[in-house]
């Protein structure tokens, strides 16, 4: 398999750059999602951005997709934060309702179109190979914004994630911080929507973070590892789908291939993590027997 | 009470009632804790001990009366108040080292962006030393035993240099070594002039570590010096007549 040759084609190069930036963005936010156990909340966000994408597209065509997604993402981020803090309904049930009803709105809207199936496919699974220069810039801007936001808020975010009561006791405004967190997730979904679609973005968020967590117990390593794994998955996935499509007559959808490669990378990381833990344990047992005794 | 006396008061409850929304949880609390003193909050499960701690932190509103912390309102006093949650409420899988947890106690002083200074590091190291866990600084928090995790959380509070320390059931399920370490660290904080509020089920610990006791079960059943307040009659009233056993000078509540 050729890992470099396909990217001499401009459209493949743009796709690669887009996925590498997305990998870094989703990897960073994904670690927080993982630690806060917000996977389902994030999944809800990916579905609720969908009607925004459809409305944006119907109103302004391809250019409207980003702004439609942004509007829907912002609204849902607020909605989910309020919902989580009120807890009127069981959170899971409430999320499932929000998720499906907004998704249904999107489906109903898109079904008005004559090109129903092809539009739906595009919104759900993205079109990574048609990414434009302008979309690259959008993704890069969102990435810089989110990274800066998380860097500035890293201490309150860490304290809130680890110990919510302690954070509130220390005067941190937990509700506001949760809103920022949900907005960050929404921004990832918005940035990724045209490239990988609303459905597959959840994999970009969760899988690299989970793989990085399996490899390390330290946040200073977990975050860069998640970014690296996300970017690596994008590169290998694109190369694999190109190879299969061009040389073997197998049409592999790029978005789906990227996700599958990420899952394989997770498998490798989980295995490596298990080995590392086993070795670490036996080393601890052999190395410091007197410590065990005094505990 | 005159203003003069109030000056050393770290915590003042004045006919204070605390409520979640419209549901009153605690009513008519009255008492004072001075700097360098410790008070034990004692009462059955659901008595409102945790709620009182949250009210002192300004996280649950005082609907009637007044709660004054270090001479100001609870919200204004937060900078000088440290809170120690129960260790088993925290995620043991969280990728954070013991020394990072202790450093969280310095976050308020460090701010959001600045790197921890040498002084911050020294204070964190000293706090960890005080709970006897310096050798575990690099370990992941979740790999420690329950008692050790509780000590790390106390070290985090010590690192914040509080004038009022609030501990929520710190002795629950804690081994003897850790219990001893916690008591020693709390005693030293008191010596250095901090006031301590600690909720507990363990009356022996209240006797051992606290100057005052607040008996709670929705209402206050006594607030004052430990020896005067921890009487079988008052305890029976607080616990709603559940059986009590007396063993020498120790009182044990058999059912909470």
């Amino acid at each position: 398999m050729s890992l470099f040759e396909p990217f001499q084609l401009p459209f493949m190069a743009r796709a690669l750059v887009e996925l590498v930036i997305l990998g870094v963005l989703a990897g960073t936010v994904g670690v927080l999602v993982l630690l806060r156990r917000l996977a389902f909340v994030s999944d809800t966000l990916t579905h609720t951005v969908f009607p925004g994408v459809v409305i944006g597209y119907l109103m302004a065509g391809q250019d409207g997709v980003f702004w439609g997604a942004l509007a829907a993402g912002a609204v849902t981020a607020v909605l989910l934060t309020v919902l989580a803090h009120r807890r009127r309904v069981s959170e899971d049930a409430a999320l499932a309702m929000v998720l499906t009803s907004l998704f249904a709105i999107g489906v109903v809207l898109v079904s008005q179109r004559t090109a129903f199936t092809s539009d739906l496919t595009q919104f759900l699974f993205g079109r990574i190979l048609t990414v434009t220069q302008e979309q690259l810039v959008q993704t890069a801007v969102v990435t810089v914004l989110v990274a800066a936001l998380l860097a500035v808020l890293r201490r309150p975010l860490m304290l809130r994630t680890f110990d919510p009561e302690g954070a509130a006791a220390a005067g941190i405004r937990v509700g506001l911080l949760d809103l920022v967190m949900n907005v960050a997730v929404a921004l990832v979904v918005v940035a990724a929507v045209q490239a990988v679609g609303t459905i597959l973005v959840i994999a970009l968020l969760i899988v690299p973070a989970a793989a990085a967590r399996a490899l390390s117990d330290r946040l200073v390593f977990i975050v860069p590892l998640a970014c690296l794994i996300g970017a690596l998955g994008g590169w290998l996935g694109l190369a694999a789908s190109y190879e299969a499509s061009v040389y073997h007559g197998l049409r592999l959808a790029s978005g789906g291939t990227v996700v599958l490669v990420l899952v394989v990378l997770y498998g490798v990381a989980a295995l490596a993590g298990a080995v590392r833990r086993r070795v670490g344990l036996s080393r601890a047992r052999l190395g410091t027997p007197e410590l065990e005794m005094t505990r | 009470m005159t203003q003069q006396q109030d000056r050393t008061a770290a915590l003042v409850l004045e006919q204070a009632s605390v409520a979640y929304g419209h549901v009153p949880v605690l009513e008519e609390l009255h008492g004072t804790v001075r700097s360098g003193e410790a008070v034990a909050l004692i009462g059955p499960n659901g008595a409102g001990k945790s709620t009182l701690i949250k009210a002192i932190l300004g996280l649950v509103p005082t609907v009637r009366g007044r709660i004054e912390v270090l001479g100001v309102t609870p919200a204004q006093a937060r900078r000088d108040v440290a809170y120690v949650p129960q260790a088993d409420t925290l995620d043991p899988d969280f990728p954070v080292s013991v020394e990072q947890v202790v450093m969280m106690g310095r976050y308020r002083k460090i701010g959001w962006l600045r790197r921890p200074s040498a002084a911050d590091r020294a204070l964190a190291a000293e706090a960890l030393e005080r709970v006897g866990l310096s050798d575990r600084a690099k370990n992941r928090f979740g790999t420690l035993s329950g008692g050790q995790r509780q000590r790390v959380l106390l070290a985090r509070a010590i690192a914040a240099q509080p004038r009022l320390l609030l501990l929520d059931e710190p002795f629950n399920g804690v081994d003897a070594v850790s219990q001893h370490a916690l008591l020693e660290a709390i005693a030293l904080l008191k010596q250095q002039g901090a006031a301590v509020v600690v909720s507990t089920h363990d009356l022996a610990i209240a006797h051992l570590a606290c100057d005052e006791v607040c008996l709670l079960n929705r209402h206050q059943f006594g607030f004052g010096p430990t020896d005067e307040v921890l009487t079988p009659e008052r305890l029976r009233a607080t616990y709603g007549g559940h059986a009590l056993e007396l063993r020498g000078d120790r009182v044990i509540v058999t059912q909470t």
Side-chain angles (χ1 to χ4, degrees):
Chain A
M1 188 167 96
S2 168
L3 291 177
F4 301 101
E5 181 234 304
F7 304 107
Q8 284 160 5
L9 297 167
F11 75 94
M12 284 298 283
R14 277 197 299 274
L16 178 64
V17 172
E18 172 79 3
L19 281 180
V20 166
I21 303 175
L22 279 178
V24 170
L25 172 64
T28 313
V29 177
V31 171
L32 268 169
V33 169
L34 188 80
L35 293 178
R36 283 276 313 278
R37 301 175 193 275
L38 284 179
F40 190 45
V41 171
S42 306
D43 198 28
T44 306
L45 261 167
T46 64
H47 283 73
T48 51
V49 163
F50 178 63
V53 170
V54 176
I55 292 169
Y57 185 75
L58 292 179
M59 281 171 67
Q62 206 62 49
D63 296 334
V65 169
F66 179 81
W67 301 106
L70 193 63
V75 170
T76 347
V78 174
L79 209 69
L80 289 180
T81 311
V82 172
L83 210 66
H85 280 256
R86 288 272 165 83
R87 286 213 191 90
R88 288 282 157 113
V89 202
S90 128
E91 210 172 309
D92 279 2
L95 288 181
M97 278 190 276
V98 171
L99 181 160
T100 42
S101 51
L102 283 169
F103 195 69
I105 292 175
V107 173
V108 167
L109 284 173
V110 83
S111 66
Q112 304 303 309
R113 305 262 311 160
T114 41
F116 175 42
T117 324
S118 98
D119 285 350
L120 190 65
T121 313
Q122 180 200 338
F123 299 143
L124 292 181
F125 304 111
R127 274 195 191 146
I128 183 67
L129 299 183
T130 60
V131 165
T132 62
Q133 201 75 39
E134 196 195 349
Q135 285 169 13
L136 281 185
V137 173
Q138 278 170 350
T139 310
V141 169
V142 169
T143 302
V144 169
L145 277 179
V146 171
L149 192 68
L150 297 187
V152 169
L153 293 175
R154 65 187 190 281
R155 280 181 189 142
L157 277 170
M158 172 129 149
L159 185 53
R160 186 263 173 267
T161 308
F162 175 63
D163 175 11
E165 285 199 344
I172 289 170
R173 294 173 67 182
V174 173
L176 203 62
L177 209 57
D178 287 359
L179 179 63
V180 169
M181 174 71 203
N182 283 338
V183 168
V185 176
L187 283 174
V188 175
V189 177
V190 170
V193 87
Q194 279 160 305
V196 298
T198 50
I199 300 291
L200 295 180
V201 59
I202 192 75
L204 283 189
L205 273 170
I206 304 298
V207 183
R213 179 67 188 88
L215 289 174
S216 176
D217 284 332
R218 298 183 57 192
L219 268 182
V220 275
F221 296 130
I222 293 174
V223 173
L225 271 174
C227 296
L228 202 70
I229 292 167
L232 192 67
W235 177 30
L236 296 179
L238 273 182
S241 78
Y242 182 86
E243 177 91 8
S245 308
V246 175
Y247 298 110
H248 304 286
L250 255 176
R251 284 192 55 203
L252 295 186
S254 347
T257 312
V258 167
V259 171
L260 289 177
V261 168
L262 282 176
V263 173
V264 170
L265 288 177
Y266 170 76
V268 174
L271 209 67
V275 171
R276 180 182 66 94
R277 236 155 281 182
R278 177 103 10 123
V279 171
L281 266 184
S282 52
R283 211 178 268 160
R285 277 203 202 105
L286 289 173
T288 53
E290 65 284 328
L291 199 80
E292 294 288 331
M293 295 296 286
T294 53
R295 229 176 273 165
Chain B
M1 194 176 288
T2 68
Q3 282 302 111
Q4 203 61 36
Q5 279 172 310
D6 265 351
R7 205 165 285 169
T8 56
L11 171 66
V12 179
L13 306 173
E14 261 183 30
Q15 311 297 344
S17 296
V18 173
Y20 278 115
H22 296 292
V23 188
V25 181
L26 287 163
E27 290 178 290
E28 299 280 310
L29 305 181
H30 203 77
T32 303
V33 186
R34 285 167 210 295
S35 298
E37 282 183 354
V39 63
L41 306 180
I42 289 182
N45 285 329
K49 301 190 292 284
S50 297
T51 306
L52 177 54
I53 287 179
K54 292 211 172 89
I56 296 168
L57 286 164
L59 299 176
V60 178
T62 308
V63 287
R64 271 189 308 280
R66 201 162 63 98
I67 293 182
E68 193 183 275
V69 180
L70 302 167
V72 288
T73 66
Q76 289 167 336
R78 274 192 202 131
R79 182 163 268 280
D80 293 310
V81 178
Y83 166 68
V84 181
Q86 286 186 56
D88 57 14
T89 60
L90 304 182
D91 177 6
D93 285 333
F94 200 88
V96 63
S97 70
V98 165
E99 62 183 357
Q100 282 176 311
V101 172
V102 179
M103 190 55 84
M104 286 178 188
R106 300 296 306 159
Y107 278 3
R108 299 217 82 185
K109 310 271 170 15
I110 299 172
W112 287 3
L113 293 175
R114 194 165 63 78
R115 288 173 66 86
S117 66
D120 292 317
R121 290 182 191 285
L123 278 165
E126 188 195 320
L128 199 53
E129 173 86 54
R130 276 218 235 163
V131 299
L133 287 173
S134 296
D135 57 332
R136 308 303 297 272
K138 302 285 180 197
N139 290 64
R140 187 164 63 81
F141 179 72
T143 61
L144 271 56
S145 75
Q148 290 171 332
R149 275 183 243 168
Q150 196 67 62
R151 281 149 74 189
V152 173
L153 293 176
L154 178 60
R156 178 178 76 171
I158 292 172
Q161 301 175 302
R163 290 166 61 202
L164 173 64
L165 179 70
L166 308 171
L167 301 104
D168 194 358
E169 300 278 4
F171 303 108
N172 267 8
V174 163
D175 58 285
V177 176
S178 286
Q179 180 174 317
H180 183 72
L182 287 169
L183 287 171
E184 292 246 296
I186 292 171
L188 188 58
L189 272 174
K190 277 172 59 185
Q191 261 178 38
Q192 293 172 338
V196 178
V197 175
V198 50
S199 73
T200 179
H201 278 104
D202 193 326
L203 304 182
I205 282 181
H207 261 296
L208 218 60
C210 298
D211 315 270
E212 290 195 307
V213 165
C214 171
L215 285 174
L216 277 181
N217 192 359
R218 302 282 161 175
H219 298 269
Q220 181 176 307
F221 286 83
F223 195 136
T226 308
D227 292 332
E228 288 171 31
V229 175
L230 275 190
T231 61
E233 297 74 38
R234 286 195 198 233
L235 281 167
R236 208 167 283 134
T238 310
Y239 281 83
H242 284 304
L244 293 175
E245 280 176 21
L246 300 175
R247 225 186 273 156
D249 61 340
R250 290 180 61 171
V251 191
I252 295 164
V253 180
T254 55
Q255 198 188 338
T256 57

